[in-house]
Amino acid sequence: MKFELLQLEEDRIRFLLSGVSAAFANGIRRACMSEVPVLAIDEMGLYDNTSVLFDEQISLRLGEVPLRAEDLDLFSKPEECECGGTGCPGCRIEFMLSSEGPGLVYSKDIQFADPGVKAAFDKIPIVILGEGEKLVIEGFATKRVGKDHSKWQAGTLCGYKNLPSIEIKDCNGCKKCVEVCPRNVLVMEGDRAKTTNILECSLCKLCTDACEAGAIKLTPIMDSFVVSIESSGTIAAKELVARAAQEIKARAEDLDAKLAELS
Ligand code: SF4
Ligand code: SF4
Ligand SMILES: [Zn+2]
């Protein structure tokens, strides 16, 4: 397998994987979306809510706020915690949200008992409180995975596509392919078309359809994939992919051990 980093930002990563199957690339994508455990608000008690929103709407909004932990490994999933899942600071992070209007309540107003945990983004609006309106909530965040509920989905936009191969022969310089390409993958060099940023090609085939001379040969490279992963903000994109790979590795080792027991 060959790995080439194409783009790295805090919340997104794009890389080229070569020498792997589509199933492997898809496994990474799926693990980023559903197997990497992160924190989300899961349980709460509303002691006062005189805002215009129903309790259920407030709960839904709080549950969808991405949470960031300085060290995610300090916390366990409830069923894996040494408390046996009954609830302790290792698997339930207490929070409090107390606000009085007038004003907008934001995600940054959620105060966690653990100073290493906070909303990933400060300015997610929760509710507008009018004069004298109050919101008082206490509850807990827990660590789970995206397949339990989308609020724990660490990877949001996760996808992959085959790396294309584009060959241009016997071009007559009509420029039609350059004009139709929606991603500016093709340019004219003198009186010939040539590829430029091939990584942007979506294999849409508009260029081959437009080329009356049949000069373009467009084929997907079956064992090379451009993988794009975007994080919800709960975890850095680079760490998300690393943890997804660890999850796949752990399962493969588990399967290997079970098969070894049979032989
Ligand atoms: S397949 Fe689509 S994106 Fe790729 S070069 Fe042709 S027109 Fe552009
Ligand atoms: S459409 Fe075909 S012939 Fe025209 S410039 Fe593109 S490759 Fe060349
Ligand atoms: Zn516990």
Side-chain angles (χ1 to χ4, degrees):
M1 184 187 81
K2 201 171 143 211
F3 172 91
E4 185 187 334
L5 182 65
L6 302 174
Q7 179 193 3
L8 179 62
E9 293 170 31
E10 176 64 16
D11 60 354
R12 68 193 62 201
I13 183 169
R14 197 154 78 121
F15 53 90
L16 182 62
L17 275 185
S18 306
V20 299
S21 64
F24 185 84
N26 192 39
I28 294 285
R29 181 193 72 86
R30 285 182 63 98
C32 285
M33 293 177 75
S34 59
E35 301 288 353
V36 175
V38 290
L39 299 176
I41 288 175
D42 191 33
E43 204 181 315
M44 68 188 76
L46 284 98
Y47 295 104
D48 206 351
N49 175 22
T50 51
S51 75
V52 293
L53 291 186
F54 293 122
D55 294 356
E56 292 83 350
Q57 290 170 300
I58 300 275
S59 308
L60 182 67
R61 289 186 177 192
L62 290 181
E64 295 292 343
V65 171
L67 304 181
R68 193 111 185 190
E70 274 172 17
D71 186 355
L72 206 46
D73 294 328
L74 288 179
F75 307 105
S76 310
K77 290 194 251 179
E79 61 273 20
E80 292 170 5
C81 186
E82 53 192 24
C83 74
T86 54
C88 74
C91 63
R92 290 204 314 179
I93 303 101
E94 206 173 342
F95 79 89
M96 170 108 193
L97 175 56
S98 179
S99 236
E100 186 167 350
L104 227 165
V105 182
Y106 286 106
S107 47
K108 68 177 167 53
D109 300 318
I110 309 168
Q111 300 297 318
F112 289 89
D114 188 314
V117 178
K118 60 177 188 146
F121 306 100
D122 286 344
K123 290 272 182 175
I124 300 173
I126 307 296
V127 65
I128 298 173
L129 294 180
E131 181 75 41
E133 290 180 351
K134 279 188 188 170
L135 190 63
V136 181
I137 305 174
E138 280 182 7
F140 299 97
T142 51
K143 187 179 180 186
R144 291 194 182 278
V145 293
K147 70 181 176 189
D148 292 327
H149 189 282
S150 60
K151 66 184 175 183
W152 285 289
Q153 192 175 318
T156 48
L157 287 174
C158 303
Y160 64 92
K161 63 179 181 182
N162 284 98
L163 181 69
S165 159
I166 302 178
E167 285 176 53
I168 302 175
K169 278 188 189 160
D170 305 323
C171 169
N172 65 21
C174 73
K175 292 190 191 170
K176 283 183 183 160
C177 59
V178 176
E179 286 161 9
V180 296
C181 178
R183 299 198 167 197
N184 302 318
V185 176
L186 302 162
V187 290
M188 295 304 292
E189 189 175 67
D191 57 357
R192 296 275 181 275
K194 69 160 201 169
T195 56
T196 156
N197 48 347
I198 196 164
L199 291 171
E200 294 305 317
C201 175
S202 64
L203 285 156
C204 69
K205 296 187 179 170
L206 287 174
C207 53
T208 52
D209 291 347
C211 181
E212 287 164 14
I216 305 175
K217 190 178 168 203
L218 173 71
T219 43
I221 302 174
M222 297 313 286
D223 69 348
S224 291
F225 302 90
V226 179
V227 184
S228 303
I229 304 291
E230 191 175 307
S231 158
S232 64
T234 50
I235 188 171
K238 184 178 156 194
E239 191 184 347
L240 171 59
V241 175
R243 285 181 185 252
Q246 281 165 11
E247 291 292 330
I248 293 172
K249 185 169 175 248
R251 279 168 177 69
E253 285 171 353
D254 190 33
L255 176 64
D256 196 31
K258 286 193 166 67
L259 290 171
E261 283 170 20
L262 297 177
S263 56

